[in-house]
Amino acid sequence: MATYIQIDPTQKLDPFKSVKKLPLEEYFTSGHRTCQGCESALVMKMMAKAAGPRSIILGSTGCMYVANTTYYSTSWVVPWMHTQLGSSGSAALGTSAALKVLMRKGKIKNEPINVIAFCGDGGGADMGVGAISATLTHAEYNSLILMYDNESYANTDIQLSGSTPWGANTTFSSPGKVKRIMHRRWKKNMAGMMAAGHPECKYVATICMSYGLHGMNSIRKALAIGGPTFIHSLDPCPKGWDYDPYLSHEMGELAVNSGVWPLYEVENGLLRLTGRTEQIAAGKIRRVPVRDYLLKQGRFAHFTNDDIDYFQSKIDDMWEKWLIPGVIPFRRDVEADTPPSS
Amino acid sequence: MSTKGTRIPDWLKVPFAGITPGPSQDKGQNLFPTGNWRSIRPVYRDKLPPCNNACGTNEKIQGYLDLVKRGKYLDAYALIKEDMPFPSVTGRVCYHPCEQACNRGKYDEAISIRAVERFLGDLGQSLKHDVVEAGPSNGKKVAVVGSGPAGHSAAYQLARIGYKVTILEKSSKAGGLNRGGIPDWVLPQHILDREIERLIELGIAIKTNCEVGKDVSWDDLKRDYDACVLAIGLTEPNGVRAEGEDKEGVLYGLPFLRDIGMGTSKVKLGPRVAVIGGGNTAIDCAREALRQGAIEVTMITVEANTDEMPCSPEDLHDMLEEGVDLWHGRALTAVLGAGKVETLQLHPARFSGAINASPITINRNVPAERFAVDNVIIAVGQRASIDWLPQEFKNERGTIKIDRFGRLGDTNFFAAGDIAQFGSGQPLMVVNAVGDGKRVAFNLDKALRGEPLQPRTVAVDVIMDLNRMNMTYFPHFPRAHQSMLSPVTRRKTQVEVIQGFSEKQASEEAGRCFSCGTCNACDNCYLVCPEPCIARPERSNGLYKILVDYCKGCRVCIEECPTGCLEGVPELDFDTGVVRMDTAFAISPGLHGRQAEELLNLASRPAKDI
Ligand SMILES: Cc1cc2nc3c(=O)[nH]c(=O)nc-3n(C[C@H](O)[C@H](O)[C@H](O)COP(=O)(O)OP(=O)(O)OC[C@H]3O[C@@H](n4cnc5c(N)ncnc54)[C@H](O)[C@@H]3O)c2cc1C
Ligand SMILES: Cc1ncc(C[n+]2csc(CCOP(=O)(O)OP(=O)(O)O)c2C)c(N)n1
Ligand code: SF4
Ligand code: SF4
Ligand code: SF4
Ligand code: SF4
Ligand SMILES: [Mg+2]
């Protein structure tokens, strides 16, 4: 196979050693209309910083398009293009293929250019899974798809998505007097799904920009490794999750430290827990109770103690009973699931 | 959200042409100045760390710890020298009130500040030329009476300003209690000698064996100098008013230590020694007694337990380790013996009030205890010797009458150190004497230049509280410990008991500092702003600019500032338009002290450039 597939060289993107070593330039600038404290905007900023100037960024519809780039204005200093809600995968693949052709024909200079397509959880985990999956099978095209997951269709006013956690209050699942828990599905395991099902994809990772250096270095690794890659980032959203914006950063830390959001990477088929998650797994730090995470957010304000306990038990399951804790959800034994009655 | 105060750029007042300017790195998206969403504005405001505040001379502790952490030892030494002439001395003898106040003590263990100070002091000792220089001469002459810590500090600061300073010292060697009080095994004399050499290098003349009141008169001082600092300390020991206190073998703590320090001691102690008193001087006497050949040393205190004793718990611990016996709740009522002390008579006693200066109640209704000794050392406080001072400047406490600036009436005489602080509630410690000497030197200078004086005790603005800092960023890490000689070895020698830090220990310990309230350029605010509207124009310099046109006021940066430097202020002026204020201002000379100057001009600069 290797003889047929021509993998183009990528940029050399060594990990940033420390915050002090970051480039000073911003390729995503201020003046955008994301909410105060939007962590997805922080992901955009860090993603652009990590990728550097020779990058093309493609964005599917959602907050990170609408709030950043409407009215003929843009926060992007690097070339940027909007794409359809479900088509981040197609845009990445097509752009990468087009660059390859232009370079082969000598119409543009032959140089490694980062192609990054981002999508929200609605655009990625729901609508765009097919296109993303297809892109991840094309080993000869270098691209990164970054799914910024604010756990709802935020831009159209916080509708439930496949990524919304169990029980959360969204405009499609508001708790009422008769029924308390309106959303009874568990969050899609997008990164695990992409890693497990795409043998051509050399790099899949989960990140959270509350750990900025870690997140940026994952992005650099994904871009440097070659071929199609995928990163899933969890982004606290003050509006959708209903908390005071100043807590944004802390919310991400809590997601990771409570074990709700495990950080890992799968590089050439090799799984590694990373960052704080690695420390939790090694027993160096203890997981904080999910209660501390949930009760800071208005979207879980209707939770009873039973609901919180149930949520905690599912997270404990994930850590203790999954085939690969936090990554592959299969179990060896069948057990009864007993959610609290709503 | 109010849109009042939005400043519409001129070019936005014309209809859209379909093309708007592209964003640029420094200006963002000109179209939308999202700053008008903001109701709280983040500002950088360096606050006073509790350690700096607690230090008797307000050393910039946070500042030099930060420099040590970054390996800039010489800069750190230069910074400490602004407020402290001899870090090598205080690095050994100070009771470190800074460490008691250290915020890290409420989290795990306080920073070992004194040990880092000693590390820097010893570095300074090894320099061929010191980092400080005498100021350009102003042609004025000042006499400093007394060469203890207060006189040393005053002379040092005055020489740096440009005065011609002469120190008059009645003892044969300079140093005050640093030499004739604090024992060699705490502060080796060669360390002090080097620091006194440094004064001479600054052009200061030191006249020893020169006693004011005997060799030099009040009028001589008035005539020969433009101004004078009296830093004469408390040189006379108190007695206990016990019967037979004048017998042979009865010694007083201060002269006992002083003679040993000055090398003039003729004392030969017997095997059994009692020390009367429960303060630091008594502890030094007890430990020195062991080193002078005593075999059994017993300390007898009026205090009912160790908690009541007015002493440093560390020194008490070290004393007990060396094998001194400790008795509580007893007063010496008589010294018995034929011509020479043989037995002590003790009665149960206690302080009638809560504090140690209050009168003692002795219960003489019970039979006295008898305690056989060869020597007794009485160490129950000191008083001043000021017979030579004009009556109008004496007060009821037996010290010098001064105003709140340290000045004697409207003369050009000032007083500093123990003589000025005795009975004022200020601790009588080396570092307080140094601080007092410094402040009084500055006041003397102001007085001679006709400027308003500063009160000796200055009110502070905001001291950084641990609760306002973000502890997520500080993993627990144990304090580095100084090694010590073992009790058996040290109780027989004059060798220094406590050892210094290695370079590695010093920098690791400095690395534990939280930098309370003062930006240490960690870059976190810069990293976490989602806009991004915190700009860092240069690498690693810690000077940040908030692009106020765009900052939405989410307060993430404030919440995530580990040190608590960033704080939010209400945007009060929305009715009249966004009025710009300084993005940074400083009350302590942290990093933003420098930035403040640049940012002062912000108001006059066009908004687009900010
Ligand atoms: C035994 C002992 C141990 C101590 N240990 C510590 C310690 O470990 N740490 C700590 O922080 N503090 C300690 N202290 C307290 C500390 O030493 C004093 O607070 C400090 O030295 C006061 O400094 P000063 O300059 O005001 O006075 P002093 O150090 O007393 O200096 C006064 C000087 O003035 C001279 N003088 C007096 N009258 C005249 C005159 N008429 N003419 C010329 N010269 C004159 C004296 O000879 C003396 O040299 C200790 C005190 C004692 C007594
Ligand atoms: C095909 C299509 N369906 C619906 C929409 C309307 N729409 C615009 S943004 C958006 C929400 C997208 O959610 P997500 O991808 O999670 O991004 P977020 O807004 O949360 O950042 C929707 C439904 C659209 N633009 N295109
Ligand atoms: S709704 Fe959420 S994701 Fe969208 S801009 Fe606001 S904070 Fe960001
Ligand atoms: S942590 Fe550092 S800045 Fe804070 S009180 Fe302690 S020494 Fe001072
Ligand atoms: S993080 Fe940025 S937008 Fe938020 S308050 Fe701070 S400077 Fe303003
Ligand atoms: S976050 Fe760090 S760099 Fe920013 S003000 Fe606070 S201490 Fe300074
Ligand atoms: Mg979404």
Side-chain angles (χ1 to χ4, degrees):
Chain A
M1 191 175 75
T3 47
Y4 296 107
I5 296 177
Q6 175 74 48
I7 302 211
D8 295 323
T10 54
Q11 291 178 31
K12 195 169 161 355
L13 299 167
D14 293 332
F16 294 136
K17 292 257 159 46
S18 75
V19 181
K20 297 271 178 231
K21 300 272 165 18
L22 295 181
L24 298 180
E25 294 78 16
E26 303 289 359
Y27 302 109
F28 173 78
T29 60
S30 46
H32 51 78
R33 280 81 58 206
T34 65
C35 307
Q36 292 175 319
C38 172
E39 286 282 287
S40 295
L42 183 68
V43 172
M44 297 297 121
K45 158 184 144 176
M46 302 237 195
M47 177 178 87
K49 223 185 226 312
R54 302 306 288 160
S55 306
I56 293 176
I57 300 196
L58 313 156
S60 88
T61 324
C63 284
M64 288 310 107
Y65 155 59
V66 180
N68 294 336
T69 332
T70 37
Y71 307 118
Y72 295 105
S73 75
T74 174
S75 273
W76 294 101
V77 177
V78 288
W80 178 87
M81 187 186 82
H82 170 222
T83 183
Q84 263 295 347
L85 186 43
S87 20
S88 56
S90 329
L93 187 61
T95 307
S96 184
L99 284 174
K100 201 169 178 143
V101 170
L102 287 170
M103 286 177 200
R104 194 183 65 221
K105 292 189 174 170
K107 302 220 165 167
I108 58 172
K109 197 174 129 230
N110 195 345
E111 63 166 323
I113 290 179
N114 299 320
V115 175
I116 306 177
F118 65 77
C119 55
D121 49 315
D126 289 354
M127 299 188 197
V129 191
I132 295 173
S133 177
T135 305
L136 295 185
T137 63
H138 287 275
E140 68 275 38
Y141 298 115
N142 298 338
S143 68
L144 163 65
I145 298 171
L146 185 143
M147 184 173 109
Y148 69 91
D149 181 1
N150 47 22
E151 303 198 316
S152 77
Y153 287 80
N155 184 61
T156 40
D157 203 14
I158 324 295
Q159 287 84 20
L160 191 153
S161 84
S163 243
T164 305
W166 183 88
N169 181 354
T170 65
T171 40
F172 282 0
S173 60
S174 329
K177 289 209 178 83
V178 182
K179 234 172 162 0
R180 187 179 71 256
I181 301 294
M182 290 295 290
H183 176 44
R184 309 195 128 261
R185 278 172 273 156
W186 281 87
K187 188 179 169 74
K188 267 193 197 177
N189 182 8
M190 188 67 179
M193 179 172 25
M194 294 302 121
H198 299 88
E200 305 296 336
C201 168
K202 291 195 210 155
Y203 189 78
V204 172
T206 58
I207 61 173
C208 173
M209 279 306 179
S210 293
Y211 298 99
L213 212 53
H214 169 269
M216 281 192 266
N217 285 339
S218 289
I219 289 166
R220 284 171 81 80
K221 213 179 212 183
L223 290 169
I225 204 167
T229 51
F230 181 80
I231 288 181
H232 186 173
S233 145
L234 182 77
D235 312 347
C237 159
K239 179 179 153 203
W241 300 13
D242 190 9
Y243 61 82
D244 191 316
Y246 79 87
L247 288 171
S248 269
H249 212 74
E250 190 181 337
M251 211 58 79
E253 289 170 354
L254 282 169
V256 173
N257 292 328
S258 61
V260 168
W261 186 244
L263 301 175
Y264 61 88
E265 61 182 16
V266 184
E267 185 181 350
N268 288 317
L270 200 70
L271 170 82
R272 275 197 326 117
L273 300 180
T274 54
R276 300 282 289 184
T277 304
E278 184 189 8
Q279 288 174 286
I280 294 175
K284 285 186 200 143
I285 47 175
R286 289 166 65 92
R287 273 190 279 143
V288 300
V290 296
R291 170 182 290 271
D292 296 1
Y293 172 59
L294 299 180
L295 292 189
K296 282 206 163 71
Q297 305 173 37
R299 61 177 175 158
F300 299 114
H302 56 289
F303 269 27
T304 61
N305 280 334
D306 283 351
D307 297 337
I308 295 171
D309 291 347
Y310 177 65
F311 206 108
Q312 180 73 61
S313 74
K314 295 294 266 191
I315 301 303
D316 293 346
D317 274 10
M318 176 168 97
W319 278 84
E320 288 152 19
K321 299 192 178 147
W322 284 22
L323 191 61
I324 300 180
V327 188
I328 307 284
F330 310 127
R331 297 146 196 262
R332 298 186 192 277
D333 304 308
V334 182
E335 283 164 48
D337 182 24
T338 46
S341 61
S342 54
Chain B
M1 196 118 338
S2 164
T3 52
K4 266 192 190 167
T6 308
R7 194 178 30 75
I8 311 265
D10 289 344
W11 46 266
L12 242 190
K13 292 179 184 152
V14 299
F16 279 80
I19 300 164
T20 55
S24 62
Q25 284 169 23
D26 36 294
K27 290 187 183 157
Q29 259 179 285
N30 279 354
L31 196 52
F32 296 100
T34 47
N36 66 347
W37 301 15
R38 187 177 59 233
S39 56
I40 303 273
R41 176 193 291 235
V43 295
Y44 294 103
R45 183 170 186 241
D46 288 341
K47 288 166 277 285
L48 196 61
C51 51
N52 292 24
N53 179 55
C55 171
T57 188
N58 305 106
E59 281 177 10
K60 294 159 191 101
I61 297 170
Q62 172 278 335
Y64 67 72
L65 290 178
D66 195 49
L67 290 165
V68 170
K69 181 171 78 187
R70 293 189 272 133
K72 299 187 171 179
Y73 304 132
L74 203 61
D75 292 340
Y77 174 67
L79 187 61
I80 209 171
K81 287 283 276 191
E82 287 181 10
D83 308 284
M84 171 53 71
F86 44 48
S88 62
V89 172
T90 34
R92 289 173 165 82
V93 310
C94 188
Y95 293 129
H96 51 67
C98 53
E99 294 183 26
Q100 274 87 293
C102 173
N103 269 337
R104 181 122 205 174
K106 299 178 202 139
Y107 184 65
D108 45 25
E109 295 172 275
I111 309 293
S112 192
I113 300 168
R114 184 179 71 177
V116 178
E117 176 164 353
R118 170 169 167 178
F119 171 78
L120 294 175
D122 287 354
L123 174 98
Q125 291 239 325
S126 68
L127 299 176
K128 194 150 177 281
H129 300 288
D130 206 352
V131 293
V132 290
E133 286 170 9
S137 167
N138 60 12
K140 296 211 167 86
K141 290 193 290 180
V142 178
V144 172
V145 185
S147 62
H152 191 124
S153 168
Y156 168 81
Q157 298 293 359
L158 288 166
R160 290 179 65 203
I161 297 171
Y163 288 92
K164 174 93 195 81
V165 182
T166 308
I167 294 179
L168 310 176
E169 169 56 56
K170 75 174 173 190
S171 300
S172 57
K173 289 181 187 166
L177 289 176
N178 274 345
R179 190 182 306 279
I182 298 173
D184 281 18
W185 36 271
V186 176
L187 173 62
Q189 300 229 358
H190 67 90
I191 300 282
L192 182 60
D193 292 342
R194 183 87 176 110
E195 295 297 351
I196 287 165
E197 269 171 40
R198 293 296 196 201
L199 287 186
I200 297 167
E201 285 167 23
L202 280 178
I204 295 169
I206 303 179
K207 291 190 183 164
T208 48
N209 295 317
C210 175
E211 180 173 351
V212 171
K214 206 175 96 196
D215 308 307
V216 175
S217 72
W218 174 263
D219 292 328
D220 294 340
L221 289 176
K222 255 170 115 174
R223 188 191 58 235
D224 296 343
Y225 300 95
D226 294 293
C228 178
V229 177
L230 305 174
I232 53 179
L234 307 170
T235 47
E236 307 309 308
N238 290 338
V240 287
R241 282 182 237 127
E243 238 172 87
E245 213 176 311
D246 52 354
K247 288 205 166 68
E248 200 192 317
V250 177
L251 305 166
Y252 289 94
L254 195 54
F256 169 69
L257 294 171
R258 181 158 58 212
D259 292 346
I260 295 169
M262 297 290 169
T264 55
S265 177
K266 298 197 177 66
V267 171
K268 279 235 166 309
L269 294 179
R272 298 164 304 171
V273 175
V275 177
I276 308 294
N280 290 313
T281 306
I283 290 179
D284 282 347
C285 288
R287 297 175 73 186
E288 186 64 63
L290 289 172
R291 288 157 175 83
Q292 296 295 326
I295 296 177
E296 281 172 24
V297 178
T298 309
M299 174 179 264
I300 298 168
T301 77
V302 172
E303 290 86 3
N305 52 49
T306 49
D307 291 344
E308 283 182 12
M309 288 168 63
C311 67
S312 137
E314 284 159 59
D315 291 0
L316 178 65
H317 169 267
D318 295 348
M319 175 190 88
L320 295 174
E321 246 187 15
E322 287 171 15
V324 172
D325 258 356
L326 183 56
W327 292 14
H328 291 297
R330 295 171 176 89
L332 174 67
T333 45
V335 180
L336 311 174
K340 184 190 168 309
V341 53
E342 284 166 10
T343 315
L344 302 182
Q345 173 183 288
L346 307 171
H347 274 99
R350 61 180 171 81
F351 282 114
S352 351
I355 51 163
N356 56 33
S358 55
I360 297 167
T361 319
I362 302 177
N363 183 359
R364 293 178 196 266
N365 301 329
V366 295
E369 273 174 281
R370 295 280 166 92
F371 185 54
V373 293
D374 301 300
N375 289 99
V376 57
I377 304 174
I378 297 172
V380 292
Q382 287 79 246
R383 63 198 143 80
S385 157
I386 46 167
D387 295 343
W388 50 271
L389 193 75
Q391 195 56 36
E392 55 184 303
F393 300 124
K394 292 182 188 169
N395 66 17
E396 63 293 346
R397 292 195 298 260
T399 59
I400 304 179
K401 193 193 281 174
I402 48 172
D403 61 15
R404 63 200 175 101
F405 310 113
R407 193 174 190 174
L408 282 71
D410 54 4
T411 67
N412 283 343
F413 280 77
F414 288 79
D418 280 3
I419 187 74
Q421 315 226 70
F422 180 75
S424 72
Q426 286 293 314
L428 302 185
M429 305 198 294
V430 170
V431 69
N432 299 80
V434 168
D436 206 36
K438 174 183 79 170
R439 287 183 285 266
V440 160
F442 293 159
N443 270 346
L444 182 153
D445 177 49
K446 289 204 173 80
L448 291 196
R449 288 193 288 124
E451 288 175 12
L453 308 191
Q454 289 264 323
R456 280 161 61 242
T457 44
V458 217
V460 287
D461 187 353
V462 185
I463 300 169
M464 196 60 206
D465 189 83
L466 186 69
N467 296 327
R468 290 182 51 198
M469 297 161 56
N470 193 328
M471 286 298 117
T472 321
Y473 296 93
F474 303 109
H476 288 277
F477 201 83
R479 172 180 159 117
H481 287 280
Q482 292 172 277
S483 53
M484 283 175 79
L485 297 187
S486 76
V488 254
T489 351
R490 71 184 189 231
R491 70 197 289 261
K492 292 287 164 214
T493 116
Q494 290 290 335
V495 176
E496 207 176 350
V497 171
I498 303 177
Q499 314 299 303
F501 268 172
S502 66
E503 179 183 339
K504 182 164 170 283
Q505 277 179 309
S507 79
E508 272 182 15
E509 191 58 14
R512 290 178 68 233
C513 170
F514 291 158
S515 191
C516 303
T518 305
C519 176
N520 61 353
C522 74
D523 275 353
N524 214 34
C525 49
Y526 164 71
L527 196 67
V528 302
C529 175
E531 295 314 311
C533 57
I534 298 188
R536 190 176 66 171
E538 285 167 52
R539 195 171 287 285
S540 310
N541 65 359
L543 303 182
Y544 308 94
K545 252 195 273 190
I546 294 181
L547 309 177
V548 283
D549 273 2
Y550 297 103
C551 163
K552 293 171 186 163
C554 70
R555 283 128 62 235
V556 170
C557 53
I558 302 171
E559 178 69 10
E560 297 305 321
C561 171
T563 67
C565 161
L566 263 170
E567 60 185 71
V569 297
E571 202 76 65
L572 291 174
D573 34 27
F574 260 47
D575 286 345
T576 51
V578 181
V579 171
R580 230 157 288 284
M581 55 182 154
D582 297 350
T583 310
F585 48 99
I587 56 167
S588 77
L591 279 165
H592 295 109
R594 282 185 278 138
Q595 189 177 18
E597 212 165 294
E598 179 204 344
L599 288 159
L600 269 182
N601 309 324
L602 275 184
S604 55
R605 284 163 57 187
K608 283 257 167 308
D609 295 350
I610 297 174

